[in-house]
């Protein structure tokens, strides 16, 4: 279990959302963190894929230049 501190403004928004949805503030924070981490994982996968495509592109360019 981890303890965190959030700003008064974030806590106010969190309280409003919690009240409106009828969901405990802790549950909202846990869901938000999981959603954020999922987004980051997808971004990292995209970054890895882009690096692979860059490497393949470089290799193809080198082969093309050799063939000239």
């Amino acid at each position: 279990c981890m303890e965190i501190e959030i700003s008064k403004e974030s806590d106010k928004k969190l309280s409003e959302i919690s009240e409106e949805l009828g969901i405990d503030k802790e549950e909202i924070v846990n869901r938000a963190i999981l959603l954020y981490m999922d987004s980051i994982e997808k971004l990292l996968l995209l970054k890895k894929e882009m690096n692979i495509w860059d490497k393949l592109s470089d290799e193809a360019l080198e082969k093309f230049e050799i063939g000239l």
Side-chain angles (χ1 to χ4, degrees):
C1 184
M2 177 192 283
E3 289 187 35
I4 59 168
E5 288 187 36
I6 60 173
S7 69
K8 289 181 181 181
E9 182 180 317
S10 293
D11 187 52
K12 181 181 176 187
K13 288 180 183 179
L14 183 58
S15 293
E16 290 170 3
I17 292 169
S18 174
E19 187 176 321
E20 188 171 324
L21 294 177
I23 299 173
D24 185 62
K25 289 178 14 175
E26 185 175 320
E27 179 64 23
I28 292 171
V29 171
N30 284 329
R31 289 181 187 187
I33 291 170
L34 289 172
L35 188 64
Y36 179 76
M37 288 189 302
D38 183 60
S39 296
I40 294 298
E41 286 176 344
K42 289 176 182 173
L43 184 62
L44 290 173
L45 286 173
L46 177 61
K47 185 176 179 180
K48 287 178 185 178
E49 185 175 342
M50 295 301 289
N51 286 336
I52 290 169
W53 281 109
D54 282 343
K55 184 178 178 182
L56 289 173
S57 176
D58 291 345
E59 290 174 7
L61 184 57
E62 286 177 19
K63 288 181 183 181
F64 175 76
E65 289 174 347
I66 290 171
L68 292 178

